[in-house]
Amino acid sequence: MIMEKGISSVEVLPSKSSQVTAVKVVVKEPETKQTQRGKRVGFVLVHAGAGYHSESKAKEYKHVCKRACQKAIEKLQAGALATDAVTAALIELEDSPFTNAGLGSNLNLLGEIECDASIMDGKSLNFGAVGALSGIKNPVSVANRLLCEGQKGKLSAGRIPPCFLVGEGAYRWAVDHGIPACPPGIMATRFSLAAFKRNKRKLELAEKVETDLIQLKKRRQSNEKAALYGCGCWAENTGAHSPYSTAVSTSGCGEHLVRTILARECSCALQTEDAHQALLETMQNKFIGSPFLANEDGVLGGVIVLRSCRYSSEPESSQEKRTLLVEFLWSHTTESMCVGYMSAQDGKAKTHISRLPPGAVAGQSVAIEGGVCRLESPES
Amino acid sequence: MIMEKGISSVEVLPSKSSQVTAVKVVVKEPETKQTQRGKRVGFVLVHAGAGYHSESKAKEYKHVCKRACQKAIEKLQAGALATDAVTAALIELEDSPFTNAGLGSNLNLLGEIECDASIMDGKSLNFGAVGALSGIKNPVSVANRLLCEGQKGKLSAGRIPPCFLVGEGAYRWAVDHGIPACPPGIMATRFSLAAFKRNKRKLELAEKVETDLIQLKKRRQSNEKAALYGCGCWAENTGAHSPYSTAVSTSGCGEHLVRTILARECSCALQTEDAHQALLETMQNKFIGSPFLANEDGVLGGVIVLRSCRYSSEPESSQEKRTLLVEFLWSHTTESMCVGYMSAQDGKAKTHISRLPPGAVAGQSVAIEGGVCRLESPES
């Protein structure tokens, strides 16, 4: 396996974005065959949010990404489906108090934890998602179960199985499908409660000032951003019109990701030859420069991308193409993004916190980095 | 004003699809100037669902479409925003017990009414939506309010205003913004309760059979399909890369509309010259033939589309193009779709129930119909 890591940042600096924003993971399962040593070919790329990652917690952010990669690779090596490997990695990320997912998530204005999760299978193109879900420790396990149940076909009386459930309905569905409930109180951590109190004070102060000035009524809405289709994740295997298999996961300001349908836009763009250029142009023209966000003073988000295709080093060879080229990239407009990656042939995961270069303005500049990995299939 | 109505159906027959499925409305506000008689130029196209419309209730379906069109045109003539005109039309549709929206909506498996609504403004590209909302009589009024509030910029403490809220969070936001609550019991009608009992019996019977056969556990999930971005409605005014202004609203099986992001796909396709051909190809290739629904035995949905552009009958004229060409189309794979349309220059709305021709199979065939309307701007 050859690793080529190329870093190429563009413009970019510190912003107001406060915390790790979301956690997603993408696993590609390019080969179902077993290798000579009984191991499968596979590659995993995860992120612990696009936002701001303090130097003081950098070790913890990287550590959870590493553990998540290793969980996914272990699953793949044990013969699990890619979606189950993704779920295992995401459970690791959700269980970390350092990520804004699952345990330790940011609290809503009422002091409750509501989580989102989504998962997509590039082979079947099936999708499962939950939004504003409380009372379940690992929301991704519900999203994955929705995806699995959706693949079984129609329900009794010809009903179409749901792929996206929210709130109370999502909770009831999970419990009915044997996923254990957990008291919401357990989900909050010392950190998330402290952040909630800090933000609430900030908000009350800001609203007091506003009320004094313009008699604004106190706003108290819940900040529910659901895990919308095409916005949080996308996966699509190679097909008649798509030479490449792609997998994308996004993070950042939910409204910005939704209104640009960022995950799907990135996946579409990645069907052109130069992945790096395609991703950079998408982030510049379809995200920061999107007409759908023309009135925003900054557009905050990040994306991780995997792209793979088969190729042969001997073009004239009549043999089946044995090499899988995996390109992995991340790009963000936030101050930082924490990523981890690992192939099934690696002993351990690599992790990295990508930061905008000094002087660049978050929300207005793009950083992009990535690498290439060649996975060799075993001789038959 | 010249009206040209061309009907061109393709293949197409009766299916299992049981009821009107959703209600949406699209208003184009092509001219902000007042006409000579103090009236505005405008055109409205509404639908009362793609599904099955019985002959016995045909009169009621058409009547509510007619009233909805008239409400929108009245609002436009009184100087309201297009989004407020759309909201007025939708309230009329939601208040009808014959549509599956608002009052008289289908009940979920727990016997509750949960509504979705979404609205998009082609000028600002702003979007507002609610999903799985109970306890509010007119969900569209909440969606429209989210859109309006979103245009006001950031909330206190730099928070980004939400554009999509679900469940309890949506309800609390609505009440906090002065939209009155209504007891959910009031929303159910004689018809919707009878349909609920009928469907529940059918389901219990089906599940009894299944349980006897394969010991399946009783499923009890709530059927929450949220009003997802790009799936239910889309509106985009003419811009640098889009010669046409488009507005699209869909109806049908929520999962099918979501997984094909149908509204946005139609809007994109409508930027090519032949609107009729573009819509037909989208319904055939991106909906019925979608790789995302490859395992479905039938794909059920419908769409209404408005497209407009300015043109001059004298190509060499240096004058501003005074004529607005409005193309209006509907297309469905369900057995029927009920539509209504009206221009600000018409005395009353036209309504129509489009049906698949005898012998055509619902879920596998497409019907498409439409017309053209020329709106003349007044001399300055």
Side-chain angles (χ1 to χ4, degrees):
Chain A
M1 195 191 80
I2 302 151
M3 277 287 204
E4 289 166 8
K5 184 128 184 299
I7 302 200
S8 54
S9 311
V10 186
E11 304 160 47
V12 212
L13 182 120
S15 81
K16 290 93 237 160
S17 173
S18 58
Q19 245 281 18
V20 187
T21 316
V23 174
K24 294 282 164 55
V25 61
V26 177
V27 167
K28 299 292 295 186
E29 190 194 21
E31 275 283 317
T32 49
K33 287 186 227 162
Q34 303 286 310
T35 73
Q36 276 170 312
R37 289 181 216 104
K39 286 188 178 181
R40 292 170 110 198
V41 177
F43 189 92
V44 60
L45 174 62
V46 310
H47 71 78
Y52 171 70
H53 301 77
S54 69
E55 289 290 357
S56 65
K57 287 187 202 155
K59 207 174 140 185
E60 281 86 357
Y61 293 131
K62 287 180 178 178
H63 193 60
V64 65
C65 283
K66 189 176 155 184
R67 284 203 315 272
C69 288
Q70 280 163 349
K71 284 278 175 182
I73 294 296
E74 276 168 27
K75 280 274 179 187
L76 286 181
Q77 285 173 337
L81 293 172
T83 45
D84 290 336
V86 167
T87 302
L90 254 165
I91 286 175
E92 204 62 31
L93 291 161
E94 285 180 340
D95 285 350
S96 164
F98 296 100
T99 61
N100 184 13
L103 182 86
S105 290
N106 286 344
L107 280 67
N108 71 17
L109 287 176
L110 295 174
E112 302 155 348
I113 287 195
E114 293 173 324
C115 296
D116 301 339
S118 61
I119 188 165
M120 186 160 176
D121 178 16
K123 202 184 277 178
S124 66
L125 299 175
N126 269 311
F127 176 76
V130 290
L133 173 62
S134 291
I136 299 288
K137 185 167 153 279
N138 290 112
V140 68
S141 60
V142 188
N144 191 35
R145 187 65 184 272
L146 276 163
L147 183 144
C148 295
E149 294 293 320
Q151 285 173 323
K152 293 181 186 168
K154 289 200 174 148
L155 305 180
S156 59
R159 288 171 304 145
I160 290 161
C163 63
F164 180 39
L165 293 174
V166 294
E168 183 63 20
Y171 172 81
R172 282 197 305 258
W173 189 92
V175 172
D176 280 353
H177 284 77
I179 295 168
C182 113
I186 289 174
M187 306 283 281
T189 59
R190 194 160 53 85
F191 297 115
S192 66
L193 286 170
F196 171 66
K197 281 182 194 149
R198 204 164 55 235
N199 289 331
K200 202 154 187 206
R201 262 200 309 275
K202 210 188 287 177
L203 184 63
E204 278 160 4
L205 193 70
E207 292 197 329
K208 196 182 168 304
V209 173
E210 278 181 17
T211 313
D212 291 353
L213 283 172
I214 47 170
Q215 296 294 323
L216 257 185
K217 208 177 145 243
K218 197 173 166 189
R219 294 160 203 263
R220 226 182 287 108
Q221 90 282 357
S222 154
N223 221 349
E224 298 185 357
K225 286 173 259 168
L228 302 191
Y229 190 60
C231 308
C233 67
W234 196 263
E236 209 168 335
N237 282 13
T238 179
H241 303 290
S242 40
Y244 302 101
S245 292
T246 57
V248 177
S249 172
T250 64
S251 169
C253 168
E255 276 73 16
H256 297 172
L257 303 175
V258 167
R259 294 182 56 192
T260 54
I261 316 186
L262 187 63
R264 190 166 180 262
E265 285 290 354
C266 289
S267 177
C268 288
L270 286 166
Q271 294 300 336
T272 57
E273 201 182 331
D274 185 338
H276 182 283
Q277 186 61 22
L279 184 61
L280 180 62
E281 281 177 12
T282 303
M283 291 298 280
Q284 283 173 332
N285 305 332
K286 304 272 172 102
F287 193 56
I288 289 184
S290 171
F292 295 88
L293 298 172
N295 297 324
E296 302 289 323
D297 48 8
V299 176
L300 295 165
V303 59
I304 56 171
V305 158
L306 275 184
R307 182 172 100 162
S308 71
C309 66
R310 286 188 186 288
Y311 81 109
S312 176
S313 45
E314 303 153 68
E316 302 306 314
S317 162
S318 62
Q319 285 195 315
E320 198 201 340
K321 292 176 181 176
R322 300 211 173 278
T323 307
L324 192 83
L325 188 75
V326 179
E327 291 165 275
F328 54 99
L329 291 155
W330 47 90
S331 179
H332 56 97
T333 65
T334 53
E335 223 175 312
S336 55
M337 186 166 194
C338 182
V339 298
Y341 51 93
M342 183 177 183
S343 94
Q345 294 161 15
D346 291 337
K348 64 176 188 171
K350 290 193 172 59
T351 58
H352 175 61
I353 298 180
S354 167
R355 295 186 188 277
L356 294 184
V361 180
Q364 294 169 22
S365 311
V366 184
I368 182 165
E369 299 178 348
V372 177
C373 160
R374 289 189 185 86
L375 300 177
E376 305 291 335
S377 297
E379 299 298 323
S380 53
Chain B
M1 195 191 81
I2 302 149
M3 275 289 203
E4 288 165 10
K5 186 129 184 296
I7 303 203
S8 55
S9 314
V10 186
E11 306 163 46
V12 216
L13 181 118
S15 82
K16 290 94 238 159
S17 173
S18 59
Q19 245 282 17
V20 186
T21 317
V23 173
K24 293 280 163 59
V25 62
V26 177
V27 166
K28 298 294 291 186
E29 190 193 19
E31 276 283 317
T32 48
K33 288 184 227 163
Q34 304 286 309
T35 73
Q36 275 169 313
R37 287 182 219 106
K39 287 188 177 180
R40 292 170 110 197
V41 177
F43 189 92
V44 59
L45 173 62
V46 310
H47 72 78
Y52 171 70
H53 301 77
S54 70
E55 289 290 358
S56 65
K57 286 187 203 155
K59 208 174 138 185
E60 282 84 358
Y61 293 131
K62 287 179 178 179
H63 193 60
V64 66
C65 283
K66 189 176 154 184
R67 284 203 313 273
C69 288
Q70 281 162 351
K71 285 276 176 188
I73 294 295
E74 276 168 28
K75 281 273 180 190
L76 285 182
Q77 284 172 340
L81 293 171
T83 45
D84 290 336
V86 167
T87 303
L90 254 164
I91 287 174
E92 203 62 31
L93 291 159
E94 285 181 339
D95 285 350
S96 163
F98 296 100
T99 60
N100 183 16
L103 182 87
S105 289
N106 288 343
L107 281 66
N108 71 15
L109 288 176
L110 296 173
E112 302 155 348
I113 287 195
E114 292 173 326
C115 296
D116 301 339
S118 61
I119 187 164
M120 185 161 177
D121 177 17
K123 204 184 278 179
S124 66
L125 299 175
N126 269 311
F127 176 75
V130 290
L133 174 62
S134 291
I136 300 288
K137 183 166 154 280
N138 291 111
V140 70
S141 59
V142 189
N144 191 36
R145 187 66 184 271
L146 277 164
L147 183 144
C148 296
E149 294 293 321
Q151 284 171 326
K152 293 180 188 168
K154 288 199 176 147
L155 305 181
S156 59
R159 289 171 304 145
I160 290 161
C163 63
F164 180 39
L165 293 174
V166 295
E168 184 62 21
Y171 172 81
R172 282 196 306 256
W173 189 93
V175 171
D176 279 353
H177 284 77
I179 295 168
C182 114
I186 289 174
M187 305 283 282
T189 60
R190 193 160 55 87
F191 297 115
S192 66
L193 286 169
F196 171 66
K197 282 182 192 151
R198 205 163 54 235
N199 289 332
K200 201 152 189 210
R201 262 199 308 276
K202 211 189 283 179
L203 185 62
E204 279 161 2
L205 194 70
E207 292 196 328
K208 194 178 172 306
V209 173
E210 278 182 15
T211 313
D212 291 354
L213 284 171
I214 47 170
Q215 295 293 326
L216 257 184
K217 204 175 147 244
K218 197 172 168 191
R219 295 162 202 263
R220 227 182 286 107
Q221 91 282 358
S222 154
N223 222 348
E224 297 184 1
K225 287 173 260 168
L228 302 191
Y229 191 61
C231 308
C233 67
W234 197 261
E236 210 169 335
N237 281 14
T238 180
H241 302 291
S242 39
Y244 302 101
S245 293
T246 57
V248 178
S249 171
T250 64
S251 168
C253 168
E255 276 74 16
H256 297 170
L257 303 175
V258 167
R259 294 181 57 192
T260 54
I261 316 187
L262 187 63
R264 191 166 179 259
E265 285 289 355
C266 289
S267 177
C268 289
L270 285 165
Q271 293 301 337
T272 57
E273 201 183 332
D274 185 338
H276 182 282
Q277 187 61 23
L279 184 61
L280 180 61
E281 280 176 13
T282 304
M283 291 298 281
Q284 283 173 331
N285 304 334
K286 302 271 173 102
F287 193 56
I288 290 184
S290 170
F292 295 88
L293 299 172
N295 298 324
E296 301 290 322
D297 47 10
V299 177
L300 295 165
V303 59
I304 57 173
V305 158
L306 275 184
R307 183 172 98 161
S308 71
C309 65
R310 284 184 188 288
Y311 83 107
S312 174
S313 44
E314 302 151 69
E316 302 306 314
S317 161
S318 62
Q319 285 194 315
E320 199 200 339
K321 291 177 181 177
R322 299 208 174 279
T323 307
L324 193 83
L325 189 75
V326 179
E327 292 167 273
F328 54 99
L329 291 155
W330 45 92
S331 179
H332 56 98
T333 64
T334 54
E335 222 176 313
S336 55
M337 185 165 196
C338 182
V339 298
Y341 52 93
M342 183 176 182
S343 95
Q345 293 160 15
D346 292 336
K348 62 176 190 173
K350 290 194 172 59
T351 59
H352 174 61
I353 297 181
S354 167
R355 294 186 188 279
L356 295 183
V361 180
Q364 295 170 21
S365 313
V366 184
I368 182 166
E369 299 179 348
V372 178
C373 161
R374 287 187 186 88
L375 300 177
E376 305 291 336
S377 297
E379 299 300 321
S380 54

